[in-house]
Amino acid sequence: MRVLGIETSCDETGIAIYDDQNGLLAHSLYSQVKLHADYGGVVPELASRDHVRKIVPLINQTIAQAGLNADDIDAVAYTKGPGLIGAVLVGACVGRSLAFAWGKPALGVHHMEGHLLAPMLEETPPEFPFVALLVSGGHTQLVAVRGIGDYELLGESVDDAAGEAFDKTAKLLGLDYPGGPLLAKMAEKGNSGRFRFPRPMTDRPGLDFSFSGLKTFAANTITANKDDSDPEQTQADIALAFEEAVVDTLAIKCKRALKQTGYQRLVIAGGVSANRRLRAGLEALMKDLGGQVYYPRTEFCTDNGAMIAFAGLQRLKAGEREGLEVQGKPRWPLTELAPL
């Protein structure tokens, strides 16, 4: 089965074709970063309009890249949610319409299930069961994964997601949007130990997260050191202290989740999973625990069509289908999905 995957949940238009026999045949991605940079964040209406402009040319480009035509596509999978509802509906309307026009089945895919299964695109995919850390601009969740759709939410952020905290702290440091990767780059020049940020909610039991306080702590630290004689170095030191705090907090909670479940495998996925310090920290954790960590290649950490095509394929092969109605869900708990 060959599945065309369409991802439009936020500010990236991702298109891919996945074949259950030959793997990923082609994928294309268009980022709207430059469009939103002047506003310091994603403007939902602008995002939706840009998806409308880019989606059909990208679909044609991806099909041609794979050396196929519409008749060679067996099904269409598209992001149904969660996400910016206007952006989601662009992909959902186009995906469902194409499937109807081609006489092929269609399926709306859960965006976070796509991220969770993205490591399955690699040559050595993880086996079930495992603990998944889903960490992005909109979500920070720990999930016990016993199989596709068999999910138990262990903990999540009660306020800002980790990626959101990265971007907000980067903005406080005067960095452009999206600030998370720029903050991580700045942190590479920082001196460890000069500043120490709190590790929120690690001094109490449980697996929930809270990162909004780190942003406030960063703001206060920046203000207190605004007259430093070497402002660039001070900013780098603050960036490093912030990054270390986030990574340590995530590692502590992952260790608790692994102990609670008894699992030996950890998956990290979502945009923040591309962070080098986070990968190194979790690799060290799993080495100490005698387990193994898995993550997608960098290009599949952020939103992309390949993860939607792959996730959709699994459910389409199990017989799931979408009706003729077009639906989008701005909020959609992962635990509402049916196990396969």
Side-chain angles (χ1 to χ4, degrees):
M1 176 181 278
R2 293 194 188 102
V3 177
L4 173 69
I6 300 173
E7 156 60 24
T8 62
S9 66
C10 190
D11 60 343
E12 275 124 359
T13 311
I15 310 296
I17 299 173
Y18 192 89
D19 187 310
D20 61 350
Q21 299 296 318
N22 300 301
L24 185 64
L25 302 182
H27 69 98
S28 304
L29 183 69
Y30 172 77
S31 173
Q32 300 177 1
V33 166
K34 292 182 179 179
L35 174 67
H36 301 289
D38 290 342
Y39 304 94
V42 178
V43 181
E45 180 63 23
L46 295 181
S48 302
R49 292 178 182 182
D50 214 35
H51 285 308
V52 171
R53 283 190 288 267
K54 299 296 183 181
I55 189 168
V56 172
L58 276 179
I59 290 172
N60 290 334
Q61 173 185 315
T62 307
I63 292 176
Q65 181 183 338
L68 305 174
N69 57 52
D71 292 336
D72 299 315
I73 304 298
D74 298 309
V76 179
Y78 53 85
T79 297
K80 186 176 180 178
L84 301 176
I85 189 59
V88 167
L89 285 174
V90 173
C93 287
V94 171
R96 190 64 195 87
S97 298
L98 281 177
F100 177 75
W102 293 343
K104 307 294 174 64
L107 186 68
V109 174
H110 194 293
H111 176 74
M112 295 311 295
E113 182 170 60
H115 276 303
L116 189 153
L117 297 178
M120 303 287 185
L121 294 165
E122 304 305 318
E123 291 184 4
T124 55
E127 296 181 0
F128 300 111
F130 54 78
V131 168
L133 171 65
L134 303 178
V135 57
S136 66
H139 298 82
T140 303
Q141 298 177 327
L142 278 168
V143 183
V145 181
R146 291 178 285 268
I148 295 177
D150 190 356
Y151 309 134
E152 178 187 355
L153 181 63
L154 303 174
E156 61 183 339
S157 181
V158 299
D159 42 54
D160 289 355
E164 185 179 5
F166 262 100
D167 287 340
K168 288 181 176 179
T169 301
K171 191 172 183 178
L172 291 171
L173 288 167
L175 300 175
D176 292 334
Y177 171 84
L182 296 177
L183 184 149
K185 186 175 182 180
M186 176 182 282
E188 293 176 1
K189 301 178 182 178
N191 296 315
S192 184
R194 179 180 174 188
F195 299 105
R196 179 172 174 81
F197 282 36
R199 276 58 174 164
M201 296 184 71
T202 58
D203 59 349
R204 68 191 76 175
L207 294 171
D208 285 337
F209 302 91
S210 172
F211 292 108
S212 64
L214 279 179
K215 177 196 65 179
T216 303
F217 195 94
N220 292 337
T221 304
I222 292 168
T223 300
N225 293 272
K226 64 180 180 179
D227 297 324
D228 191 271
S229 59
D230 190 350
E232 289 188 8
Q233 186 60 54
T234 296
Q235 285 192 319
D237 294 345
I238 292 172
L240 176 58
F242 171 83
E243 188 178 47
E244 287 177 336
V246 173
V247 170
D248 285 353
T249 300
L250 293 172
I252 290 168
K253 296 292 180 134
C254 285
K255 185 176 181 179
R256 289 183 186 177
L258 291 161
K259 182 177 180 181
Q260 179 176 312
T261 59
Y263 298 164
Q264 293 293 307
R265 287 177 287 272
L266 175 67
V267 162
I268 56 171
V272 184
S273 68
N275 182 277
R276 293 180 183 178
R277 194 173 302 276
L278 177 60
R279 290 192 177 201
L282 294 181
E283 285 172 359
L285 169 67
M286 296 310 292
K287 184 177 181 180
D288 290 342
L289 296 177
Q292 195 164 357
V293 63
Y294 300 84
Y295 38 74
R297 71 196 79 165
T298 304
E299 63 185 318
F300 293 151
C301 289
T302 54
D303 297 346
N304 63 87
M307 68 182 193
I308 300 303
F310 180 83
L313 173 68
Q314 311 312 309
R315 292 187 172 275
L316 285 159
K317 288 178 69 175
E320 293 190 17
R321 299 289 187 272
E322 207 74 41
L324 288 176
E325 71 280 5
V326 177
Q327 294 183 336
K329 295 186 176 185
R331 297 185 181 276
W332 189 6
L334 191 63
T335 51
E336 288 185 0
L337 296 177
L340 298 188

